[in-house]
Amino acid sequence: MPLPPRVLPPLRRESPMSGLDRRNLGPLQVFAQSISAAAPSAAMAAAPAVAAAAAGSGVLWSFVVATVLALLIGLGIGQFTRRMAAAGSLYSLTAKGLGAVAAFACGCALLVGYGLLTTAALTGSGVYLQDLLGRAGIEVGWGLVAGIVLVLGALATVCVLRGVRLSAQVVLVTEAVSITLMLVVFGLLLVRVGPDLAPAAPDRGVAGIAAGVLPALGAFIGFEAAASFGVEARRPFRTVPRAVQGTAALCGVLYLVAAYTQVVGLGRLPGGLAGQPEPVSTLAALQRLPWLSYLLDLGIAASFFACALATGSALVRVLLSMGREGVLPAALGRTHPRYRTPHVAILVALPLATLLPVVLVATGTSTSSAFVTLLNAAVFGYLVAYLLVCVAAPVFLHRIGELTRGALAAAAITAPALLAALVVFTLDNLGGPYPALFGAFVLAGLAWLGWLRARRPAQLARIGIYDETSEADLLGGER
């Protein structure tokens, strides 16, 4: 008996993601977005000392574990990005596994993470340029630092607004310069300190290594940023998963080199690596290479600027998705007819991200204190988002009939580890402004969700839009 002919669903007249510059970013440009958002140059200089405070000489093993966790998180994200291209990043991906409410929570966490990391990156760039001028004997007050942040914020806004390719090119060049500078710095120091097997024997045992994993994992936040550029990537199903996994692997190698160099080079000083407020500059002075500190500050400042560009670009694409779904005002979902960027979201979000640190330092907060507070609050958002997408991955695969033992095992390792990291991170930051900040984030999200349930239940159910094939794609119309 012949089977009845299958009736395919009709094609959309246009993709839900129409208006963006679709299929125009090459693999290197997509890769640069993820690398820049992770800001590896800054993390190479600062993260090993923070992790060493908990892990001691076992800090290398902490970075090994953190690298494996980042690769597993990337594997979970890749389960989605090999099958769909979404501008909403983890927010849209989580919807396909856990539904609208969990995706909404992920979206709120991403807005916190992306928004505050953009702000922290602009602040960090200003702080390291201030240090650079200070080393040159030029005293810089908070007013000039605020001015530097405003200029960098304006440059970032223009770059992100004028087109994704321009923004990607600037990110690519800036991050390449930054990483080159750091390779010069750490290459010269590594030659001077020489080989030493002492760091392979952790002095605080397994407990110390575990305690160092959280700060080491914090050095990877932002590495998934390529997931926001799936719509604009030329071959998204191949490029985006490779960019996310490649970033985790490359950052892991860079952090291990940086941690090894600093542990060995500073091991004979009182307090070792953990006891040095500026470990790389101290090591450069010990090795009679003080001029490396200038390269270090310049490289970190450049890395933070590239991070602000990449993270800000990811932030506005989440806002674009929310605007088109009706979760946020529809105006945020508009795209510029010429530049093909979410111009309304850009002109709302990036000036706010620029002005926030200026307001903080103008009200008496030190630039370094503002930077640390913003960065820690951003980590909270990222950990929540990573946890949700890792839980969503096996549910999504089961739903489409493609769940494998490997994917299930990866989620079974990653989700409890991230939950433990989130709990420890929250408990470790109960002092200072963090309880109020974290509580405010949660209450604001719950109030927003309650309003959507009461007033816009249909829009809440729409969460999770992604790029779809349209009539124009098949029939040769204008994209």
Side-chain angles (χ1 to χ4, degrees):
M1 179 180 178
L3 296 173
R6 291 181 62 188
V7 178
L8 297 175
L11 286 175
R12 290 176 175 268
R13 292 185 63 83
E14 61 180 19
S15 166
M17 293 289 105
S18 63
L20 291 174
D21 195 6
R22 298 171 69 205
R23 309 289 177 263
N24 226 346
L25 284 184
L28 197 56
Q29 293 166 320
V30 176
F31 182 59
Q33 299 289 348
S34 265
I35 281 285
S36 299
S41 301
M44 287 170 73
V50 178
S57 64
V59 63
L60 287 177
W61 293 106
S62 296
F63 275 102
V64 169
V65 175
T67 302
V68 172
L69 277 176
L71 287 169
L72 290 174
I73 294 168
L75 189 66
I77 295 169
Q79 302 296 352
F80 297 98
T81 53
R82 277 197 291 272
R83 295 170 171 86
M84 66 183 76
S89 186
L90 310 189
Y91 159 70
S92 302
L93 306 182
T94 299
K96 302 306 172 189
L98 299 181
V101 174
F104 177 81
C106 185
C108 292
L110 274 187
L111 292 183
V112 170
Y114 286 165
L116 294 185
L117 184 57
T118 304
T119 305
L122 289 171
T123 310
S125 194
V127 167
Y128 278 93
L129 286 176
Q130 180 187 29
D131 289 349
L132 182 64
L133 292 173
R135 291 185 201 283
I138 304 171
E139 291 300 321
V140 177
W142 72 267
L144 185 54
V145 177
I148 291 172
V149 171
L150 287 173
V151 170
L152 294 176
L155 280 174
T157 303
V158 170
C159 287
V160 175
L161 179 66
R162 288 295 299 270
V164 69
R165 294 194 67 189
L166 172 65
S167 168
Q169 286 297 113
V170 173
V171 163
L172 181 60
V173 172
T174 308
E175 195 57 47
V177 170
S178 168
I179 290 180
T180 301
L181 289 174
M182 298 308 284
L183 289 177
V184 170
V185 170
F186 281 94
L188 287 172
L189 292 176
L190 191 60
V191 170
R192 292 293 185 99
V193 300
D196 191 338
L197 295 178
D203 56 351
R204 299 181 189 177
V206 176
I209 293 172
V213 170
L214 176 57
L217 186 62
F220 287 86
I221 65 165
F223 80 103
E224 82 307 320
S228 299
F229 297 87
V231 178
E232 289 137 308
R234 200 170 297 147
R235 302 181 67 182
F237 303 146
R238 169 181 287 189
T239 304
V240 173
R242 288 184 176 182
V244 174
Q245 290 287 80
T247 299
L250 178 60
C251 286
V253 172
L254 292 175
Y255 298 158
L256 283 170
V257 170
Y260 171 84
T261 306
Q262 293 174 65
V263 168
V264 174
L266 299 169
R268 295 181 180 177
L269 291 184
L273 168 59
Q276 312 308 315
E278 293 186 347
V280 182
S281 295
T282 303
L283 180 56
L286 279 178
Q287 300 300 327
R288 299 179 181 179
L289 298 170
W291 55 272
L292 285 183
S293 297
Y294 291 90
L295 292 185
L296 180 73
D297 288 339
L298 189 60
I300 294 176
S303 181
F304 272 132
F305 179 65
C307 174
L309 272 175
T311 311
S313 296
L315 168 68
V316 299
R317 279 157 180 76
V318 175
L319 293 173
L320 168 85
S321 296
M322 288 182 162
R324 293 203 172 178
E325 292 162 347
V327 173
L328 281 175
L332 293 172
R334 294 178 190 159
T335 50
H336 194 281
R338 179 179 176 188
Y339 302 134
R340 296 179 178 268
T341 53
H343 62 298
V344 177
I346 291 168
L347 294 175
V348 169
L350 293 191
L352 280 176
T354 304
L355 288 174
L356 178 56
V358 174
V359 171
L360 287 176
V361 296
T363 53
T365 308
S366 71
T367 50
S368 57
S369 177
F371 170 69
V372 171
T373 302
L374 292 166
L375 191 59
N376 280 342
V379 171
F380 177 77
Y382 274 98
L383 288 177
V384 172
Y386 290 160
L387 173 62
L388 286 170
V389 80
C390 286
V391 173
V395 180
F396 167 70
L397 291 174
H398 176 69
R399 184 171 294 163
I400 64 174
E402 297 183 16
L403 181 60
T404 62
R405 290 179 181 176
L408 189 60
I413 296 170
T414 314
L418 284 172
L419 181 60
L422 183 61
V423 171
V424 171
F425 178 79
T426 305
L427 294 176
D428 281 351
N429 288 285
L430 285 182
Y434 300 109
L437 272 177
F438 297 164
F441 295 153
V442 173
L443 288 177
L446 289 174
W448 185 7
L449 178 63
W451 184 83
L452 285 171
R453 278 186 176 279
R455 300 293 184 88
R456 294 186 175 181
Q459 285 84 348
L460 184 62
R462 285 190 64 205
I463 285 178
I465 61 172
Y466 58 94
D467 194 36
E468 297 181 37
T469 304
S470 66
E471 291 178 358
D473 294 325
L474 294 185
L475 303 178
E478 185 179 355
R479 288 182 296 180

